[in-house]
Amino acid sequence: MPFSAADSRLQASPYGDRTLGRLPETPSQTAGPYVHIGLIPRQAGFEIFARDIGAGGLAADEPGERIRIEGRVLDVTGSLVRDALVECWQARADGTHGIFGRTGTSFETGLWGFDTVRPGAVPARGGKARMAPHVSLWLAARGLNRGLHTRLYFGDCEEANAADPVLRLIEQPNRRATLVAARTERDGVPVFTLDIRLAGEGETVFLDP
């Protein structure tokens, strides 16, 4: 059946090639309040679920050394970003994958944190080398058109960090240091602290996904 004039206008529509069933990609937008409402609603004050996904904590019988990782997210001026979303992905203590967490920076203190176990080393891409124990972090925040990927390495694993193939790709030592968390202790539990700086002096190294 031939196209009408209206069909021709539709085919040339800026909303995509309707004849092939394709639509253009939605334009990128910065993270807004619906990030919290959709992903961590209880922190935003909405009791939509019994608990937020990724906020349930570890199973009581999860093997490994219990630790806490925490930090702040800072913008280009050094000011706290109090409404960032932070996800963590890591290996279990034996190096197998499987631990996920999701939280947001505190609206009051700007602090984010996860209670977890120290991850084991995992094979690097290609399987010939091993990566130092680390936690992969993903964050979304106001002013960002897409989520940012980075890592947290442990400051008390100097030998493993020195051999890590990802850290070795970063030429400047001061840039590598933006991924290494300092260790302290709190109530007998190791605490590793890493601030994530989105831009400016001391900007965190961000990685391709």
Side-chain angles (χ1 to χ4, degrees):
M1 183 175 69
F3 288 111
S4 68
D7 292 328
S8 299
R9 288 194 298 272
L10 182 61
Q11 185 176 4
S13 166
Y15 299 104
D17 185 349
R18 298 290 294 274
T19 62
L20 298 179
R22 292 198 299 260
L23 292 172
E25 182 179 349
T26 302
S28 326
Q29 296 187 24
T30 62
Y34 291 107
V35 170
H36 288 75
I37 295 171
L39 297 178
I40 45 174
R42 295 184 72 85
Q43 183 171 337
F46 296 88
E47 296 187 4
I48 299 173
F49 310 116
R51 64 178 177 85
D52 292 344
I53 296 173
L58 293 172
D61 59 351
E62 179 71 37
E65 177 190 8
R66 298 287 169 143
I67 63 172
R68 179 170 178 79
I69 60 175
E70 63 182 29
R72 304 170 299 168
V73 179
L74 305 170
D75 67 15
V76 66
T77 68
S79 300
L80 292 171
V81 178
R82 301 176 190 270
D83 56 357
L85 177 78
V86 183
E87 293 183 353
C88 76
W89 304 77
Q90 67 166 87
R92 291 190 159 93
D94 62 1
T96 58
H97 293 280
I99 296 179
F100 165 74
R102 177 187 289 154
T103 189
T105 51
S106 166
F107 297 143
E108 289 76 33
T109 66
L111 192 70
W112 59 268
F114 297 99
D115 294 307
T116 184
V117 295
R118 186 191 291 264
V122 296
R125 184 175 299 177
K128 295 182 179 180
R130 295 187 71 78
M131 292 186 284
H134 66 276
V135 176
S136 294
L137 299 173
W138 179 87
L139 68 148
R142 54 183 164 83
L144 299 179
N145 285 329
R146 61 179 182 174
L148 298 177
H149 297 257
T150 189
R151 287 185 175 186
L152 178 151
Y153 288 87
F154 299 92
D156 59 356
C157 295
E158 294 182 7
E159 185 175 345
N161 291 345
D164 182 84
V166 174
L167 286 176
R168 288 168 64 90
L169 290 173
I170 305 169
E171 296 181 3
Q172 302 89 348
N174 64 317
R175 300 286 287 139
R176 290 196 294 269
T178 67
L179 304 184
V180 180
R183 172 177 174 156
T184 57
E185 288 202 7
R186 187 181 304 146
D187 299 325
V189 176
V191 178
F192 293 90
T193 302
L194 183 74
D195 287 343
I196 300 171
R197 298 180 182 273
L198 300 179
E201 185 176 356
E203 177 183 340
T204 295
V205 171
F206 296 105
L207 307 170
D208 289 333

